[in-house]
Amino acid sequence: MAQIKIFGYCDRLSVKPGDAMNFMVSADGTDRISAQLVRLIHGDEHPTGPGFVEREIQSTANREWPARKQYTQVGSFLRVADPQNRLALSESFTVYAYIQPTLPAFNVRQALVGRWSIDRNEGYCLGINPKGYLEFWMGDGTEVDYVGAEIPLVANVWYFVAASYDAQTRRVTLYQEGMLTRYNSLLSKVTPYDYRSHVTEPMRVKPRNQDAPFIVSGAQDWHELRGHFIGQCYCGKIDRHGVYAKALSREALDGIRSGRELPKDGLVAHWDTTKGYDARGIGDTVLDVGPHGLHSVGYNKPIRGQTGWNWNGREDCFRLAPEQYGGIEFHVDVMIDSNWEPTFAFTVPESLRSGVYAMRLRAGDGTGLAEEYVVFFVRAAQPKAKVAMLIPTASYLAYANEHLSFDAQIIQPMAGQPPIVAEIDVEMYKNQEFGLSTYDRFIDGKGVCFTSYRRPIVNMRPKHRMSSMGCTWQFPADLSIIGWLEAMAYDYEVLTDEDLHREGLAALAPYKCVLTGSHPEYFSEPMLDASEDYIESGGRLLYMGGNGFYWCVGFRDDQPWIMEVRKLDSGSRAWEAKPGEHYLQTTGEKSGLWKNRGRPPQKILGVGFTAEGFEESRPFRRMPDSYHRTVSWIMDGVEGEVFGDFGLARGGAAGVELDRYDLKLGTPPHTKILASSGGHSDNYILVVEDVVYMHPGFGGTQEPKVRADVTYYTAPNHGAVFSTGSIAWGSALPHNNFDNNVSRITKNVVDAFLKDGPLPGWGWIADEKQWR
C-alpha cells in the first residue's frame, strides 16, 4: 500500500463569522480525505503539561471530500502578455539584457529571455548552458541549434548580453561584455579577467513559435500529470532587456550597452525595470516602454528594489536614484504561493465564537493514518470580550518552513545538543514545493526576503516541536497561552497581526487588556504605531514573550498574505542584504531592526532583546521593586523569592530568548523590575547588536546583560504594560494543570487590568514626586 501524504492551506488566516474561505489540499496515495472543524486549546504534547487538546465543532465541512495530488510552480520569472504574438519572431531579430548570474555553472540549463518551448523544442532563447557559458538556441520542433560563448560567465558580475539573428544569412552573433564598475559587481577592475566574448555562427534551423509564452527567467515545459509549467528558471539578476525585429549590429548593441537612447527602428519591446517606483515601493509589473506596451508580470515575487548594472554606490535607496535600481533578482528555488485549486469551500458559521481553529484533515487508518491541520483564526464579528490575544502571525510567516534547524554548525552550539529531526521536518526539507522561510537562503546563497501563508506551513501546526530546541516554538507554543485563557475561564477573543496592520488602533481599541504571543518578533510600522497608541490611550498590554517588536516588515494592501523583510547589518540574522538593498520593495521604507530606526522595543515594552540560547531555561528571582507598595499586588499568592523553576520549554520560565530592562534604550524611567533571571549557561550569548568590540565574556556565566527581566510600568489614561521578558514564560503556564506561581502572577495582572479606573497602587508618590 502506498504511503498516504496530505498537506493543505487556506486562503485566509484571519476571518469573521460569515466569511467564506477556500481550503486547498494535496493528497498523495489517496483520492479522498475527511475534514473535521476543531477548536485548538493546547498544542504542546510535553508530558508535564495537559497534552494536545482540541474540541470538535459541528460544521457543514465535516465530511469526506475528493482530493488529488496538486503540483506547485517553483521558481520566479516574468511572463509577458502578448495577445498579438508580436514576440513570435521567425525572421531577423535581436534579444538583449543586462544580467548578473549568481550560479552560472549550475549543471542545468537556465533560460534568460525568450519564447521557448522545452517540450516541443520550438522557439528561441538566450540563456546559460549547464557549464556556465552564455548560449543562444533556436528550434523548429524537430531540431535545435546552439551558439555558445567562448568563455564562461563569472558569478556575481554584471554583463550585457545579446543574440542577433539575421534571417537572410541565417547567422547568429552572440554578444557578451562585462559591465564592471567600482561598486556593482563582486570583482573589481583589478582582477585580470577578460569577460568579453563575440561569436558568430551559422544556424541550421529557423525558429518556429506556436503557443509558448515569452518568459524572462524560464521557459515553458509540459508534463502529462501537471500540464504546462515553467522550467529552466534562472538564478541571478536581470536588468533592462528587450527585443528588436531586426538584426542589430555590434555598433548598435554597443550603444544600448552604454545606456544611450534606444534606436526606434525595429523596436518590439524594451522592459525598463527602473520604471514604476514611487514612495511606496514597486509592484510585480515590469513596464514595457516600447511601442506595444507588452508589460510583464512577476510570478513567485521576483525581488525588486535591487541595485542594477549602473549602481554607483552613492545612493542606498531606490527612492533616491530609481534609474540605478533596475536589477530584478530571480531564484530557481523560490515559492511564494502554491496556487492550488480549492478542494472545498467553507463559510464561517455565524455562531462560531472567536478563537483558534483548524480544519483537521485525515486519510487512511491505523498505522497508515495521515493527518494535517490547516490553522486559521476567527475574530469576533463585533468585539464584546474585554480580553484579546494578539496572534503574532507575522512572526509565524517569518519562520514558516524554516530550514535553519538543519544547519548543525549554527543550531548545535546554540542548543547545546544535536537537533532532533522528526519525519515531518525531513519531508519539509526535501520538498521545495513548501517554500522557504526568511531564515533560509536560496541555493545561490542569497537570503529569502518574502514569505507567504498561501502554502502548506508544516511548523504552523499544533504538536509541532522545533527540532533544534526540543520544544514547541511560535504557534504551538502560543497555544499554551490560549490554553491558560481557557483554564482561567476568561471571556477572550483573538485577532492577528494582519488585522492590526490593516486596521491599526481600531483593532485593539475595543479591548481593556491585550496579551501578545510568546515571540512577536516581526512588526510593521502601522502595527508598532497602533500598539504605542493603544497603550497611550489607556490600553493595558501583557507582553508574554521575548525578542518582540524587533524586525521591521512590510505588507502590500493587495497582497496581505505576503510579508517582506530585509535583514541588514545588525541583529541576529541568518543572512544579510547586500549594500544598497536595505529598503523594502513593498513599502519603500528601510527594513532591519526597529532599534536602528530609533524605536527599540524598550520604548514600548519596557524590555528588549538581550540574549538567546536553546539550552536549559532558568527560574526568576524577585527583585526589590516587586515589594514596592505600588506593584506588590502582582506577586500576591507567590511564596518565596524564586518562581518559575519549571516549564514545558526546557524546564524554566526564563529561557529560549530573553529581554532586559535598559534605560539607555528607552525603558520608561518609572518602570519597576519585578524579577530577573540568572545563572544562564554560555549557550546564552549577548545579542550581536550590543557587541561593539569582540572579546571573551559575552556568555551567560559572565555577562550580566544575559538575563530576562519581568517589568511593569504605568502609562497615561490608566494604561499599563506588564512584560515577561522571556519566550519560555508562556510554556510555563500549563505546568501542574495551570496551577503554579507563573500562572498566578499572570492572573493577578490580567484581573487587575480588567478593572475600570486606576490600577492598584496608582496614585501620587510624594517622595518620588510623580504618579505611579
Side-chain angles (χ1 to χ4, degrees), residues 85 88 115 117 120 122-123 208-213:
N85 286 324
R115 183 169 175 146
S117 174
R120 294 186 178 183
E122 292 178 348
R208 178 174 177 233
N209 289 278
Q210 288 192 350
D211 60 348

PDB file of all heavy atoms in Angstrom, residues 85 88 115 117 120 122-123 208-213:
ATOM      1  N   ASN A  85       0.864  38.181 -30.433  1.00  0.00           N
ATOM      2  CA  ASN A  85       2.020  37.348 -30.821  1.00  0.00           C
ATOM      3  C   ASN A  85       3.116  38.167 -31.506  1.00  0.00           C
ATOM      4  O   ASN A  85       3.758  37.700 -32.451  1.00  0.00           O
ATOM      5  CB  ASN A  85       1.582  36.201 -31.730  1.00  0.00           C
ATOM      6  CG  ASN A  85       0.864  35.114 -30.965  1.00  0.00           C
ATOM      7  OD1 ASN A  85       1.210  34.809 -29.818  1.00  0.00           O
ATOM      8  ND2 ASN A  85      -0.157  34.541 -31.570  1.00  0.00           N
ATOM      9  N   ALA A  88       6.471  36.410 -31.333  1.00  0.00           N
ATOM     10  CA  ALA A  88       6.628  35.122 -32.016  1.00  0.00           C
ATOM     11  C   ALA A  88       7.442  35.359 -33.288  1.00  0.00           C
ATOM     12  O   ALA A  88       6.913  35.368 -34.410  1.00  0.00           O
ATOM     13  CB  ALA A  88       5.265  34.510 -32.330  1.00  0.00           C
ATOM     14  N   ARG A 115      11.242  33.121 -26.093  1.00  0.00           N
ATOM     15  CA  ARG A 115       9.959  32.449 -26.267  1.00  0.00           C
ATOM     16  C   ARG A 115      10.294  31.018 -26.686  1.00  0.00           C
ATOM     17  O   ARG A 115      10.410  30.689 -27.865  1.00  0.00           O
ATOM     18  CB  ARG A 115       9.138  33.172 -27.338  1.00  0.00           C
ATOM     19  CG  ARG A 115       7.754  32.587 -27.528  1.00  0.00           C
ATOM     20  CD  ARG A 115       6.890  33.491 -28.384  1.00  0.00           C
ATOM     21  NE  ARG A 115       5.607  32.864 -28.652  1.00  0.00           N
ATOM     22  CZ  ARG A 115       4.458  33.504 -28.774  1.00  0.00           C
ATOM     23  NH1 ARG A 115       4.437  34.816 -28.642  1.00  0.00           N
ATOM     24  NH2 ARG A 115       3.340  32.862 -29.033  1.00  0.00           N
ATOM     25  N   SER A 117       9.794  26.708 -26.034  1.00  0.00           N
ATOM     26  CA  SER A 117       9.017  25.570 -25.545  1.00  0.00           C
ATOM     27  C   SER A 117       9.968  24.405 -25.333  1.00  0.00           C
ATOM     28  O   SER A 117      10.520  23.860 -26.298  1.00  0.00           O
ATOM     29  CB  SER A 117       7.926  25.196 -26.551  1.00  0.00           C
ATOM     30  OG  SER A 117       7.271  24.009 -26.152  1.00  0.00           O
ATOM     31  N   ARG A 120       8.549  21.000 -26.745  1.00  0.00           N
ATOM     32  CA  ARG A 120       8.374  20.928 -28.196  1.00  0.00           C
ATOM     33  C   ARG A 120       9.628  21.299 -28.968  1.00  0.00           C
ATOM     34  O   ARG A 120       9.651  21.184 -30.200  1.00  0.00           O
ATOM     35  CB  ARG A 120       7.239  21.854 -28.627  1.00  0.00           C
ATOM     36  CG  ARG A 120       5.862  21.430 -28.124  1.00  0.00           C
ATOM     37  CD  ARG A 120       4.799  22.327 -28.718  1.00  0.00           C
ATOM     38  NE  ARG A 120       3.456  21.918 -28.301  1.00  0.00           N
ATOM     39  CZ  ARG A 120       2.341  22.493 -28.729  1.00  0.00           C
ATOM     40  NH1 ARG A 120       2.411  23.494 -29.590  1.00  0.00           N
ATOM     41  NH2 ARG A 120       1.164  22.067 -28.317  1.00  0.00           N
ATOM     42  N   GLU A 122      10.741  24.279 -29.629  1.00  0.00           N
ATOM     43  CA  GLU A 122      10.323  25.328 -30.555  1.00  0.00           C
ATOM     44  C   GLU A 122      10.643  26.690 -29.979  1.00  0.00           C
ATOM     45  O   GLU A 122      10.513  26.907 -28.769  1.00  0.00           O
ATOM     46  CB  GLU A 122       8.812  25.261 -30.812  1.00  0.00           C
ATOM     47  CG  GLU A 122       8.356  24.046 -31.580  1.00  0.00           C
ATOM     48  CD  GLU A 122       6.848  24.027 -31.744  1.00  0.00           C
ATOM     49  OE1 GLU A 122       6.154  24.822 -31.073  1.00  0.00           O
ATOM     50  OE2 GLU A 122       6.366  23.208 -32.546  1.00  0.00           O
ATOM     51  N   GLY A 123      11.013  27.612 -30.866  1.00  0.00           N
ATOM     52  CA  GLY A 123      11.183  28.994 -30.476  1.00  0.00           C
ATOM     53  C   GLY A 123      12.632  29.421 -30.417  1.00  0.00           C
ATOM     54  O   GLY A 123      13.502  28.873 -31.116  1.00  0.00           O
ATOM     55  N   ARG A 208      10.569  28.290 -34.837  1.00  0.00           N
ATOM     56  CA  ARG A 208       9.134  28.116 -35.052  1.00  0.00           C
ATOM     57  C   ARG A 208       8.447  28.374 -33.725  1.00  0.00           C
ATOM     58  O   ARG A 208       8.815  27.801 -32.706  1.00  0.00           O
ATOM     59  CB  ARG A 208       8.864  26.697 -35.535  1.00  0.00           C
ATOM     60  CG  ARG A 208       7.386  26.385 -35.742  1.00  0.00           C
ATOM     61  CD  ARG A 208       7.260  25.001 -36.357  1.00  0.00           C
ATOM     62  NE  ARG A 208       5.841  24.640 -36.496  1.00  0.00           N
ATOM     63  CZ  ARG A 208       5.314  23.523 -36.033  1.00  0.00           C
ATOM     64  NH1 ARG A 208       6.074  22.649 -35.408  1.00  0.00           N
ATOM     65  NH2 ARG A 208       4.042  23.251 -36.221  1.00  0.00           N
ATOM     66  N   ASN A 209       7.453  29.251 -33.704  1.00  0.00           N
ATOM     67  CA  ASN A 209       6.767  29.618 -32.463  1.00  0.00           C
ATOM     68  C   ASN A 209       5.292  29.291 -32.573  1.00  0.00           C
ATOM     69  O   ASN A 209       4.630  29.666 -33.537  1.00  0.00           O
ATOM     70  CB  ASN A 209       6.930  31.121 -32.190  1.00  0.00           C
ATOM     71  CG  ASN A 209       8.341  31.479 -31.794  1.00  0.00           C
ATOM     72  OD1 ASN A 209       8.713  31.328 -30.650  1.00  0.00           O
ATOM     73  ND2 ASN A 209       9.144  31.927 -32.752  1.00  0.00           N
ATOM     74  N   GLN A 210       4.774  28.602 -31.586  1.00  0.00           N
ATOM     75  CA  GLN A 210       3.338  28.347 -31.534  1.00  0.00           C
ATOM     76  C   GLN A 210       2.748  28.983 -30.282  1.00  0.00           C
ATOM     77  O   GLN A 210       2.569  30.186 -30.235  1.00  0.00           O
ATOM     78  CB  GLN A 210       3.062  26.838 -31.616  1.00  0.00           C
ATOM     79  CG  GLN A 210       3.323  26.284 -33.012  1.00  0.00           C
ATOM     80  CD  GLN A 210       2.791  24.885 -33.194  1.00  0.00           C
ATOM     81  OE1 GLN A 210       2.377  24.226 -32.247  1.00  0.00           O
ATOM     82  NE2 GLN A 210       2.809  24.407 -34.436  1.00  0.00           N
ATOM     83  N   ASP A 211       2.528  28.190 -29.231  1.00  0.00           N
ATOM     84  CA  ASP A 211       1.792  28.742 -28.088  1.00  0.00           C
ATOM     85  C   ASP A 211       2.664  29.052 -26.880  1.00  0.00           C
ATOM     86  O   ASP A 211       2.149  29.412 -25.835  1.00  0.00           O
ATOM     87  CB  ASP A 211       0.689  27.769 -27.667  1.00  0.00           C
ATOM     88  CG  ASP A 211       1.238  26.412 -27.252  1.00  0.00           C
ATOM     89  OD1 ASP A 211       2.437  26.155 -27.505  1.00  0.00           O
ATOM     90  OD2 ASP A 211       0.467  25.612 -26.679  1.00  0.00           O
ATOM     91  N   ALA A 212       3.960  28.928 -26.981  1.00  0.00           N
ATOM     92  CA  ALA A 212       4.802  29.196 -25.814  1.00  0.00           C
ATOM     93  C   ALA A 212       4.805  30.684 -25.491  1.00  0.00           C
ATOM     94  O   ALA A 212       4.899  31.522 -26.392  1.00  0.00           O
ATOM     95  CB  ALA A 212       6.229  28.710 -26.063  1.00  0.00           C
ATOM     96  N   PRO A 213       4.708  31.065 -24.224  1.00  0.00           N
ATOM     97  CA  PRO A 213       4.755  32.488 -23.866  1.00  0.00           C
ATOM     98  C   PRO A 213       6.188  33.008 -23.847  1.00  0.00           C
ATOM     99  O   PRO A 213       7.150  32.238 -23.767  1.00  0.00           O
ATOM    100  CB  PRO A 213       4.162  32.493 -22.457  1.00  0.00           C
ATOM    101  CG  PRO A 213       4.539  31.154 -21.897  1.00  0.00           C
ATOM    102  CD  PRO A 213       4.492  30.193 -23.056  1.00  0.00           C
TER     103      PRO A 213
END
